[in-house]
């Protein structure tokens, strides 16, 4: 219930921005009505350049996953990628921090490792070396966990030397 209240507050704080010049408002409205899945809506809105509306849909998708007791992996990763593409690296890092915390809380070491891998890279890029070091130390611990997939291990080994 608390997550719904927080998400509602976040959505209210995000005042709707006008659509970019030339954006077909009827097309955006039709796309939103076409699906009740917020993640699907967010992806469609991103492809149409309606980033503020996509942001709201990503937040709803994340909250719905959390309320259902699921790690919001897909929505969080897609949201962080959108933010990074917009050069909003600190916000992307915040989304990944939340994903890593959710994964830890719900005991999903593979998801936590994926989030921390991207988060460490973002923190190095932003010059937050202390944060990046903590992320890498946690990654090192996770590499010993048998629940981390071979694919995730391979990706981590490509980026980091343990």
């Amino acid at each position: 219930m608390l997550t719904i209240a927080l998400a509602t507050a976040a959505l209210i704080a995000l005042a709707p921005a006008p659509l970019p010049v030339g954006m077909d408002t009827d097309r955006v409205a039709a796309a939103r009505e076409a699906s009740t899945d917020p993640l699907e809506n967010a992806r469609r809105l991103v492809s149409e350049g309606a980033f503020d509306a996509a942001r709201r849909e990503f937040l709803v998708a994340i909250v719905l996953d959390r309320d259902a007791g699921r790690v919001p992996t897909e929505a969080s990763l897609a949201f962080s990628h959108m933010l990074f593409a917009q050069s909003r690296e600190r916000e992307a890092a915040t989304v990944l921090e939340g994903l890593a915390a959710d994964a830890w809380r719900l005991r999903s070491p593979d998801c936590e490792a994926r989030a921390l891998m991207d988060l460490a890279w973002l923190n190095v890029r932003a010059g937050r070396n202390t944060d990046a070091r903590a992320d890498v130390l946690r990654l090192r611990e996770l590499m010993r966990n048998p629940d981390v997939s071979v694919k995730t291990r391979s990706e981590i080994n490509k980026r980091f030397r343990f």
Side-chain angles (χ1 to χ4, degrees):
M1 203 62 173
L2 178 60
T3 54
I4 291 174
L6 292 174
T8 303
L11 291 173
I12 291 170
L14 295 169
L19 292 172
V21 175
M23 177 62 64
D24 182 357
T25 56
D26 292 333
R27 205 173 91 223
V28 172
R32 290 199 71 203
E33 291 173 8
S35 173
T36 58
D37 178 18
L39 183 55
E40 186 179 314
N41 288 337
R43 287 185 172 139
R44 184 178 305 109
L45 290 163
V46 166
S47 72
E48 294 179 355
F51 300 114
D52 288 329
R55 175 189 190 94
R56 288 187 288 275
E57 294 291 327
F58 278 126
L59 289 170
V60 169
I62 289 168
V63 168
L64 289 174
D65 277 348
R66 284 180 180 151
D67 284 349
R70 295 184 302 261
V71 179
T73 307
E74 204 174 343
S76 295
L77 290 174
F79 187 27
S80 69
H81 291 157
M82 180 193 83
L83 292 169
F84 178 76
Q86 293 178 307
S87 298
R88 297 168 90 166
E89 294 174 1
R90 185 63 222 149
E91 290 178 67
T94 300
V95 170
L96 291 174
E97 287 167 354
L99 176 58
D102 288 336
W104 178 83
R105 182 176 47 81
L106 295 172
R107 294 181 181 88
S108 178
D110 192 70
C111 179
E112 182 183 1
R114 288 181 49 136
L116 288 172
M117 177 178 58
D118 289 343
L119 180 58
W121 181 82
L122 275 174
N123 282 331
V124 165
R125 185 174 161 93
R128 292 186 295 273
N129 295 331
T130 303
D131 292 338
R133 179 170 162 60
D135 299 334
V136 170
L137 289 174
R138 177 65 181 142
L139 266 177
R140 193 175 284 168
E141 287 177 35
L142 287 168
M143 290 294 280
R144 292 190 294 264
N145 189 317
D147 292 331
V148 175
S149 71
V150 172
K151 180 181 177 186
T152 301
R153 286 176 197 278
S154 176
E155 289 180 36
I156 291 169
N157 285 327
K158 287 178 187 174
R159 292 193 196 183
F160 303 99
R161 295 179 192 204
F162 292 121

